Amino acid sequence: MKIIVTENYDRSCEIAAKMIADVIRAKPDARLGLATGGTAEAVYTYLIKEYKEGNLDFSKVSTVNLDEYVGLSPDHPQSYRYYMDNKLFNHVNIDKKNTYVVSGIGDIEKNVAEFQRKLQEKPIDIQLLGIGVNGHIGFNEPNSVLKEKTHVEELDESTIRANSRFFRNIDEVPRKAITMGIGDIMRAKCLVLVATGKAKAQAIRSLVIGDEIYCRNPSTMIKLHQNATVIIDNELAELVGYKKD
Ligand code: F6R
């Protein structure tokens, strides 16, 4: 696992966006695995900038997102479909038919099966990841066991609290989500995880220091990946005591 320390969050996102852009330039019909949340936003800003400057073509690109809240329709402003449309897809020349965010409404079991089929169609060339305050990736929450495949996950109290900042109040935060499993994430050819902020210190510490893998910090699984990059800023590196060796 490669660890990059940058001067600030903005630079971290620029590097992550460049990694994604390089994959698209090398393989115009690449399949991207995408994440939502606050951290990923600036990555999309950079990708849009590259597109607007004529340096990137999304016309053949396909995407699949990590997760979606159960109970939010695609047009709900806090749904991850809505996020993706507004933060990336509406601003680049991607064909929306080639974008996939699992639906969080209707027959959930059927949606999970459809998601699993989608993932089998074509491998993900690069997967963008954020990290939860509790170390979750996608919505794979800390537990005594982790799930390999796409499934419905009961959200952790700490996740509900952290994500309540996007809702009017905490009671509006969905309690469940459909998420790629750990295996689905690990099957991506390349992983890039971006983290920033004090709240992520505990989760990042056991990811970037030591070689332990903990079910109580699902992000540590990516230490096993052949081509994973973690990008943190100086502030977070100092906070967790990470030093380049
Ligand atoms: C979002 C996702 C989550 C977020 C994580 C960090 O699709 O899968 O794992 O990446 O919760 O969210 P932020 O960036 O809002 O702190």
Side-chain angles (χ1 to χ4, degrees), residues 34-40 65-67 80 129-133 136-139 159 163 165-166 200:
L34 300 178
T36 59
T39 315
N65 262 77
L66 281 167
D67 40 26
Y80 288 164
L129 297 169
I131 184 170
V133 290
H136 72 213
I137 48 175
F139 273 131
T159 301
N163 288 6
R165 71 191 194 279
F166 298 116
K200 304 289 170 71

Side-chain angles (χ1 to χ4, degrees), residues 107-159:
D107 185 337
I108 299 300
E109 243 171 76
K110 217 169 115 202
N111 300 352
V112 169
E114 180 191 73
F115 195 173
Q116 285 174 354
R117 272 198 307 279
K118 269 277 160 203
L119 288 169
Q120 278 160 13
E121 266 172 20
K122 204 179 162 186
I124 292 170
D125 292 292
I126 184 165
Q127 174 68 57
L128 176 64
L129 297 169
I131 184 170
V133 290
N134 59 7
H136 72 213
I137 48 175
F139 273 131
N140 293 278
E141 300 285 29
N143 210 326
S144 52
V145 291
L146 298 172
K147 290 259 203 184
E148 205 253 329
K149 291 194 187 121
T150 298
H151 60 282
V152 174
E153 185 87 17
E154 199 84 44
L155 298 182
D156 201 83
E157 264 316 304
S158 62
T159 301

Side-chain angles (χ1 to χ4, degrees), residues 2-235:
K2 185 172 164 195
I3 301 165
I4 299 177
V5 179
T6 68
E7 47 273 47
N8 55 41
Y9 159 71
D10 216 50
R11 180 72 187 130
S12 298
C13 292
E14 192 178 357
I15 292 172
K18 188 172 178 313
M19 287 174 69
I20 296 171
D22 285 347
V23 168
I24 300 173
R25 283 192 275 262
K27 187 178 176 192
D29 64 345
R31 180 173 237 196
L32 312 179
L34 300 178
T36 59
T39 315
E41 281 192 32
V43 177
Y44 299 136
T45 308
Y46 277 106
L47 288 176
I48 293 167
K49 183 166 167 271
E50 279 292 280
Y51 164 73
K52 294 223 157 117
E53 287 172 359
N55 301 324
L56 209 50
D57 177 12
F58 286 83
S59 61
K60 296 195 183 72
V61 166
S62 66
T63 68
V64 56
N65 262 77
L66 281 167
D67 40 26
E68 178 61 285
Y69 287 121
V70 169
L72 298 193
S73 63
D75 59 356
H76 187 290
Q78 292 311 329
S79 77
Y80 288 164
R81 162 52 76 180
Y82 189 96
Y83 172 111
M84 288 312 304
D85 285 350
N86 285 282
K87 307 238 183 273
L88 179 65
F89 302 153
N90 290 346
H91 308 285
V92 297
N93 66 332
I94 200 162
D95 183 344
K96 287 251 185 95
K97 287 202 292 293
N98 296 333
T99 69
Y100 182 77
V101 184
V102 66
S103 172
I105 55 166
D107 185 337
I108 299 300
E109 243 171 76
K110 217 169 115 202
N111 300 352
V112 169
E114 180 191 73
F115 195 173
Q116 285 174 354
R117 272 198 307 279
K118 269 277 160 203
L119 288 169
Q120 278 160 13
E121 266 172 20
K122 204 179 162 186
I124 292 170
D125 292 292
I126 184 165
Q127 174 68 57
L128 176 64
L129 297 169
I131 184 170
V133 290
N134 59 7
H136 72 213
I137 48 175
F139 273 131
N140 293 278
E141 300 285 29
N143 210 326
S144 52
V145 291
L146 298 172
K147 290 259 203 184
E148 205 253 329
K149 291 194 187 121
T150 298
H151 60 282
V152 174
E153 185 87 17
E154 199 84 44
L155 298 182
D156 201 83
E157 264 316 304
S158 62
T159 301
I160 293 169
R161 224 176 305 119
N163 288 6
S164 66
R165 71 191 194 279
F166 298 116
F167 292 80
R168 272 180 306 192
N169 62 64
I170 196 159
D171 298 329
E172 285 187 4
V173 186
R175 266 40 190 174
K176 288 181 185 172
I178 303 174
T179 181
M180 277 188 205
I182 291 289
D184 297 320
I185 294 171
M186 293 291 283
R187 273 187 286 279
K189 292 183 193 163
C190 168
L191 302 178
V192 54
L193 184 150
V194 182
T196 186
K198 274 206 278 296
K200 304 289 170 71
Q202 207 184 334
I204 283 295
R205 189 171 293 117
S206 38
L207 176 60
V208 300
I209 295 172
D211 65 355
E212 292 82 4
I213 292 155
Y214 303 101
C215 283
R216 62 167 193 271
N217 181 343
S219 75
T220 57
M221 283 295 293
I222 76 171
K223 293 180 191 185
L224 298 172
H225 198 279
Q226 300 274 3
N227 187 5
T229 302
V230 173
I231 310 176
I232 55 176
D233 45 50
N234 255 322
E235 195 189 37

